[in-house]
Amino acid sequence: MRNILKATTLENKFPLLAVEHNCIISKDADITIAFRVELPELFTVTSSEYEAIHATWLKAIKVLPNYSVLLKQDWFIKEDYTPDIQKDDLSFLSRSFERHFNERPYLNHTCYLFLTKTTKERMRQQSNFNTLCRGFIVPKEMQDRETAARFIEAVGQFERIINDSGFISLTRLMADDIIGTEGKAGIVEKYFSLSQSDNTHLSDIELGAGEMKIGDNYLCLHTLSDLDDLPNTVSTDKRYERLSTDRSDCQLSFAAPMGILLSCNHIYNQFVFIDDHGENLKRFEKQARNMHSLSKYSRSNQINKEWAELYLNEAHSYGLISVRCHCNIISWSDDLGELRQIKNDVGSQLAFIECVPRHNTVDLPALFWAGIPGNQADFPAEESFYTFLNHAICFFSEETNYKSSLSPFGIRMVDRLTGRPIHLDISDLPMRKGIITNRNKFILGPSGSGKSFFTNHMIRQYYEQGTHVLLVDTGNSYQGLCELIHRKTGGKDGVYFTYTEDNPISFNPFYTEDGIFDIEKRESIKTLILTLWKRDGERTSGAEDVALSNAVTLFINKIKSDKSIIPSFNSFYEFIKNDFREILDKKNNREKDFDIENFLFVLEPYYKGGEYDFLLNSDKQLDLLSKRFIVFELDNIKDHKILFPVVTIIIMEAFINKMRRLKGIRKVILIEEAWKAIAKEGMAEYLKYLFKTVRKFFGEAVVVTQEIEDIISSPIVKETIINNSDCKILLDQRKFMNKFDAIQSLLGLTEKEKAQVLSINMSNNPNRKYKEVWIGLGGVQSAVYATEVSLEEYLTYSTEETEKLELFRLVEKLGGNIELAIKQLAEEKRNSY
């Protein structure tokens, strides 16, 4: 059977002539300049900011000359997440995290902007005369140099206006980006292959009756090209009900349903045609007169005349610019069953913004052809409608999906909409950009909100990136992670301090591995002794303060010179009792200046044989300076009047020692609910000093709490923690909905940040297990992310007693191999689901 269908090559019909000076030149002498567009992240823009973005587009488009075409082309391609598990330094839990998201589908967004200068004749060209229909193309002479130069200058102004807005950024595409290189596809090749990957291959294009195919993909087109199909009103933004409450509004751009919210492979094309504004108005004036003269023959002519006059009145009254506009959605699939579902999805999204879904099969080839980068002037004029520039811009999609931070340091979070892992830096990059002035973090979340999971997840990644981590906890939240690190490092790291009757907590504040006692170390020893000696409310005289300083200094000098002395509280007590007593006697010390007998009597319980002789005489000689992961579990002693103040001083001393002596190494102190007790025991000044100073030593102080009243109850801590924590992290606050205004006022949250916080966990995907978390940086940058972890990470972080016991029983059964135990338990649970 003979094939009678007409076939031709893409080369014969190809409408582009060349790329010169990074401009696309068509065979009809049209000049196009292309940009890659970076849009704001989804759910991070307020109504006023959408209006500012709209005003920026309006201002920029006004500088373009007459007979210009603007095409904003948004690509949304379904992709599967590819985990990076080949790194040699990837830890067991990081590898588990990557595997958990293996082949997770998500929608990848790429946005281009094409600005084309054409002629008056080309702007009026209809579909029966575009390059796809003509048998051959006769290249025209290029437009005169002056016209081209003015257009390029106007585009430069356009680019500057957009980039200066602070919301959108344009990056000019060079010749290699347009036509590609040997190892990388250009945007033209990507367009014809319906792909945004660097490695593409061209396929056959098939045009049939009511059907178009590219390779195996069937194309589907929906158009907005008739005023009858448009809503009565348009706006810059629209309330997104799924994440809004009666106290807050979540806003998206008016056209978001055709963009990021439409979860299928599609291209959203937004055309704006800038004709001669004056000529347009004259044409409408003439049409209005004609309608009026024919009004007695048809009432519809009178109505149309009134509409034309209303349009003209608006244009003259408010100085609005008359333009033509067209929008279309090109979607595709290689499965006809899926394509039918896509048609329904696109139609429902168009109906969501009150547009009439118009499935167009006839004009698909012509409109696809007009979307070729650089071929915008080939658009069929009959497919556009007249409107004002202000209204045309409302059909621009103005947001993109979450972006990863361009920084080597950070934590792995998850895009709340698509579930794709992203790399997020909430410390270094914001500091370099000036968004924050310190790395301190304040975390607020009620019980059950996923607070421990987030902090475990964050701290684990900090540790794996070389950070020294010191945790103060009151609920065994970090026991699993600490045990994993301890066993993985063979006991060299992962130190867990907790108090039990059989194994009471003990330290040796007088021991240092390198024998260095700097001023910070001496001051911490002195503070510790004062805490043991003087009760709350007792003041220290000047003579007592000097005497104690001398005692500490002399004892340190002695242990340095006499290596036979074992540094401990016992040897210090004996030094005071014997050597220092003799020194005071020689100086004729008076009892009222320094009562040495009272001093020895009060400190006797901490000397050998005393009630607390275990506390400061540890024989393990453990130097915490070199340990990178340390947990102090204070639940059993948080109400103990003797042990708790001593332990908190030692904790602070250990971190300040790290802070001062570990040069160029990141260090973090995270204080869970224990900070409340610390503040009560006169430690508020320590916290105040820590939060104000730690930023100077490449450190971070992190405070975690459940109740906002706990902060309010301590004025020093309240002012110190909140004012010196530029990074605020909030979890589900719906329990505090009725008193969130107080939280907002205390934390200084904006209305935008309030709306984001109240949207947490409101529209979670039921097919995924995760909790959402809001992260705000300096009142400038904020977003809601998902904390989703692998089953292996879940078992490591879990605070459920039964799950912890099950894990540790299996660890002992496997001879202490905790990684193997976690793997086996995770596999059992996966198989049981």
Side-chain angles (χ1 to χ4, degrees):
M1 180 176 175
R2 188 166 60 90
N3 185 2
I4 61 173
L5 293 176
K6 291 183 178 180
T8 186
T9 63
L10 180 61
E11 186 179 4
N12 290 337
K13 295 291 185 181
F14 199 60
L16 306 183
L17 178 66
V19 175
E20 294 182 2
H21 305 291
N22 303 312
C23 298
I24 306 172
I25 312 298
S26 78
K27 290 179 180 177
D28 277 289
D30 306 311
I31 303 172
T32 299
I33 297 177
F35 296 93
R36 180 174 282 107
V37 186
E38 291 294 331
L39 297 169
E41 291 180 348
L42 189 70
F43 307 128
T44 64
V45 187
T46 63
S47 183
S48 60
E49 288 170 338
Y50 276 121
E51 290 175 7
I53 293 171
H54 182 274
T56 301
W57 281 117
L58 185 63
K59 191 189 305 181
I61 295 173
K62 282 181 178 179
V63 306
L64 296 177
N66 290 342
Y67 309 117
S68 297
V69 183
L70 178 148
L71 168 60
K72 182 172 173 289
Q73 190 173 81
D74 291 87
W75 287 74
F76 299 92
I77 307 292
K78 290 177 75 173
E79 296 182 9
D80 293 334
Y81 179 72
T82 304
D84 187 4
I85 56 176
Q86 302 305 319
K87 292 181 181 178
D88 295 333
D89 59 344
L90 212 59
S91 72
F92 162 63
L93 291 182
S94 292
R95 203 178 299 276
S96 301
F97 178 86
E98 291 292 324
R99 284 202 182 104
H100 174 72
F101 291 96
N102 184 34
E103 297 186 352
R104 170 72 62 87
Y106 67 95
L107 205 63
N108 195 20
H109 179 205
T110 310
C111 182
Y112 298 109
L113 182 72
F114 303 106
L115 302 177
T116 301
K117 179 69 179 77
T118 185
T119 60
K120 181 178 180 179
E121 292 74 21
R122 290 273 284 157
M123 289 284 275
R124 294 177 177 176
Q125 182 177 286
Q126 297 196 347
S127 57
N128 59 357
F129 199 73
N130 68 15
T131 56
L132 189 60
C133 299
R134 277 179 276 169
F136 61 92
I137 300 170
V138 179
K140 289 186 177 181
E141 290 186 9
M142 294 294 293
Q143 299 177 50
D144 63 90
R145 290 179 179 273
E146 188 179 345
T147 302
R150 282 200 303 267
F151 174 66
I152 292 171
E153 183 182 348
V155 170
Q157 295 174 16
F158 181 100
E159 181 181 5
R160 181 66 181 271
I161 292 169
I162 295 293
N163 285 335
D164 285 349
S165 70
F167 296 106
I168 304 171
S169 66
L170 302 182
T171 305
R172 176 84 177 268
L173 296 182
M174 300 293 105
D176 286 348
D177 300 315
I178 297 167
I179 59 176
T181 61
E182 187 176 340
K184 181 181 177 183
I187 58 171
V188 177
E189 183 180 343
K190 290 177 179 178
Y191 185 81
F192 281 104
S193 58
L194 296 178
S195 170
Q196 285 299 304
S197 66
D198 290 332
N199 299 312
T200 62
H201 63 278
L202 295 177
S203 303
D204 290 340
I205 299 177
E206 182 181 325
L207 303 179
E211 181 180 275
M212 179 174 176
K213 283 182 69 177
I214 296 181
D216 294 328
N217 289 307
Y218 296 87
L219 271 63
C220 168
L221 174 71
H222 287 76
T223 58
L224 294 177
S225 54
D226 193 320
L227 285 171
D228 293 336
D229 296 341
L230 301 181
N232 293 327
T233 59
V234 294
S235 58
T236 58
D237 55 282
K238 193 174 180 71
R239 176 180 159 104
Y240 187 57
E241 295 293 343
R242 293 175 65 180
L243 294 179
S244 298
T245 69
D246 56 348
R247 294 171 178 265
S248 62
D249 293 327
C250 176
Q251 301 295 132
L252 290 177
S253 67
F254 182 77
M258 288 97 82
I260 196 72
L261 297 185
L262 180 57
S263 57
C264 64
N265 288 322
H266 69 285
I267 303 170
Y268 178 42
N269 290 310
Q270 305 122 73
F271 287 90
V272 177
F273 304 92
I274 304 163
D275 298 302
D276 187 319
H277 171 66
E279 280 193 15
N280 282 352
L281 296 188
K282 286 179 183 178
R283 187 180 300 112
F284 280 110
E285 292 275 10
K286 184 178 179 181
Q287 285 179 356
R289 288 194 298 269
N290 292 340
M291 297 281 183
H292 179 68
S293 62
L294 297 171
S295 60
K296 62 182 179 180
Y297 297 107
S298 172
R299 189 170 185 82
S300 61
N301 288 333
Q302 179 64 28
I303 294 171
N304 288 335
K305 175 246 181 187
E306 292 174 1
W307 279 111
E309 287 187 341
L310 183 60
Y311 183 88
L312 291 166
N313 290 340
E314 288 283 314
H316 289 299
S317 300
Y318 300 104
L320 302 179
I321 297 175
S322 175
V323 297
R324 287 183 294 120
C325 179
H326 168 88
C327 297
N328 66 60
I329 301 169
I330 300 175
S331 50
W332 64 88
S333 174
D334 58 0
D335 180 13
L336 288 174
E338 184 184 17
L339 192 66
R340 283 192 292 271
Q341 181 60 47
I342 288 174
K343 288 178 186 176
N344 294 335
D345 291 343
V346 176
S348 65
Q349 292 296 81
L350 287 169
F352 182 75
I353 58 170
E354 299 177 20
C355 291
V356 177
R358 186 77 63 187
H359 180 222
N360 193 326
T361 58
V362 176
D363 301 308
L364 176 54
L367 293 178
F368 177 82
W369 204 249
I372 299 170
N375 195 40
Q376 280 61 68
D378 230 4
F379 186 89
E382 74 272 17
E383 287 293 330
S384 60
F385 58 89
Y386 281 96
T387 183
F388 293 122
L389 181 57
N390 306 51
H391 301 143
I393 296 170
C394 291
F395 288 97
F396 285 11
S397 64
E398 302 288 13
E399 56 272 300
T400 186
N401 40 22
Y402 284 18
K403 307 167 192 170
S404 290
S405 301
L406 299 174
S407 171
F409 180 82
I411 59 176
R412 300 286 274 167
M413 296 299 289
V414 175
D415 184 322
R416 71 187 302 201
L417 183 68
T418 65
R420 174 178 61 96
I422 56 175
H423 175 78
L424 183 65
D425 185 353
I426 54 177
S427 296
D428 293 357
L429 191 62
M431 280 281 283
R432 286 198 295 271
K433 288 184 174 180
I435 295 172
I436 58 176
T437 58
N438 60 66
R439 296 178 175 85
N440 300 337
K441 295 170 179 58
F442 171 71
I443 303 175
L444 174 68
S447 179
S449 62
K451 185 169 71 274
S452 294
F453 262 78
F454 172 77
T455 50
N456 265 285
H457 191 56
M458 180 181 75
I459 288 299
R460 189 264 296 175
Q461 294 177 85
Y462 267 58
Y463 170 79
E464 289 175 358
Q465 294 173 82
T467 305
H468 278 244
V469 178
L470 190 149
L471 298 163
V472 187
D473 187 27
T474 57
N476 290 307
S477 301
Y478 306 95
Q479 187 178 13
L481 181 58
C482 188
E483 187 68 18
L484 176 65
I485 293 170
H486 183 76
R487 296 188 184 240
K488 184 68 178 175
T489 59
K492 295 178 181 178
D493 211 339
V495 185
Y496 198 84
F497 289 102
T498 187
Y499 182 89
T500 62
E501 291 294 333
D502 298 331
N503 187 22
I505 194 167
S506 63
F507 309 95
N508 187 350
F510 296 89
Y511 174 76
T512 62
E513 193 170 345
D514 53 11
I516 296 175
F517 291 87
D518 55 19
I519 188 168
E520 293 290 341
K521 181 69 173 176
R522 296 183 186 203
E523 283 299 312
S524 67
I525 293 174
K526 178 184 167 184
T527 303
L528 173 63
I529 302 301
L530 278 173
T531 304
L532 300 175
W533 181 22
K534 298 290 184 178
R535 292 289 178 262
D536 291 343
E538 286 189 65
R539 296 182 61 85
T540 306
S541 67
E544 289 175 331
D545 191 68
V546 169
L548 185 55
S549 294
N550 289 337
V552 171
T553 301
L554 291 171
F555 176 68
I556 289 172
N557 292 337
K558 184 171 183 179
I559 60 177
K560 281 183 177 180
S561 59
D562 188 351
K563 300 299 182 183
S564 64
I565 299 176
I566 300 173
S568 66
F569 183 81
N570 286 341
S571 53
F572 174 74
Y573 187 88
E574 290 167 359
F575 170 78
I576 297 291
K577 188 176 181 180
N578 300 316
D579 298 19
F580 194 63
R581 188 198 295 272
E582 292 179 9
I583 293 171
L584 292 179
D585 289 343
K586 288 178 181 178
K587 292 183 177 181
N588 297 317
N589 173 66
R590 295 178 299 175
E591 185 176 311
K592 67 177 183 177
D593 293 331
F594 182 70
D595 189 349
I596 191 170
E597 297 301 331
N598 172 265
F599 181 79
L600 292 169
F601 179 77
V602 172
L603 297 185
E604 191 174 2
Y606 308 96
Y607 181 59
K608 58 185 174 185
E611 184 180 0
Y612 304 110
D613 63 349
F614 58 86
L615 186 60
L616 304 173
N617 292 292
S618 173
D619 58 358
K620 294 179 181 178
Q621 306 296 11
L622 182 64
D623 184 14
L624 300 181
L625 182 67
S626 61
K627 306 299 179 185
R628 288 207 303 115
F629 197 91
I630 306 162
V631 179
F632 290 92
E633 167 52 54
L634 306 183
D635 196 43
N636 293 335
I637 61 168
K638 66 178 184 292
D639 297 319
H640 200 292
K641 292 184 178 180
I642 302 296
L643 296 178
F644 188 79
V646 176
V647 171
T648 51
I649 288 174
I650 290 172
I651 292 169
M652 290 299 174
E653 186 272 330
F655 186 75
I656 290 172
N657 192 35
K658 285 178 179 288
M659 189 174 76
R660 294 279 184 180
R661 295 177 60 187
L662 297 175
K663 306 293 184 183
I665 298 174
R666 191 187 309 271
K667 64 281 296 185
V668 172
I669 181 169
L670 186 143
I671 307 173
E672 275 259 9
E673 300 297 323
W675 73 267
K676 293 181 289 187
I678 291 175
K680 292 177 184 176
E681 297 293 338
M683 291 299 294
E685 290 299 327
Y686 252 121
L687 282 179
K688 189 173 182 179
Y689 166 77
L690 191 65
F691 266 81
K692 288 186 175 181
T693 310
V694 69
R695 68 176 181 84
K696 301 175 184 176
F697 297 93
F698 198 25
E700 303 181 21
V702 184
V703 160
V704 185
T705 189
Q706 287 189 16
E707 297 286 346
I708 200 70
E709 284 82 0
D710 297 332
I711 306 167
I712 299 171
S713 63
S714 175
I716 295 177
V717 175
K718 168 187 166 184
E719 295 298 324
T720 302
I721 290 176
I722 297 206
N723 292 346
N724 291 284
S725 295
D726 281 358
C727 176
K728 295 178 177 65
I729 300 171
L730 276 68
L731 292 100
D732 198 332
Q733 299 294 311
R734 282 178 291 181
K735 290 182 180 179
F736 305 138
M737 184 76 79
N738 294 329
K739 52 183 177 180
F740 192 78
D741 289 344
I743 298 175
Q744 181 184 4
S745 175
L746 185 65
L747 299 182
L749 303 181
T750 63
E751 287 299 312
K752 167 185 173 178
E753 292 171 330
K754 172 186 175 181
Q756 289 174 336
V757 172
L758 294 180
S759 74
I760 291 174
N761 294 334
M762 278 195 65
S763 184
N764 287 10
N765 188 332
N767 298 321
R768 292 161 39 207
K769 290 185 178 180
Y770 63 96
K771 293 285 182 71
E772 291 183 338
V773 55
W774 175 84
I775 300 177
L777 297 168
V780 177
Q781 184 178 310
S782 60
V784 176
Y785 303 91
T787 306
E788 183 177 350
V789 298
S790 64
L791 197 49
E792 286 83 355
E793 290 169 291
Y794 171 83
L795 293 171
T796 304
Y797 305 155
S798 177
T799 55
E800 286 290 328
E801 188 70 25
T802 54
E803 291 176 338
K804 286 163 68 174
L805 287 173
E806 184 181 13
L807 173 62
F808 286 118
R809 286 196 193 104
L810 187 56
V811 170
E812 296 307 317
K813 185 178 178 182
L814 295 173
N817 191 332
I818 191 167
E819 281 191 13
L820 183 59
I822 292 171
K823 284 179 185 176
Q824 284 192 11
L825 199 55
E827 199 59 37
E828 287 176 15
K829 290 186 180 295
R830 283 194 197 96
N831 294 333
S832 64
Y833 289 156

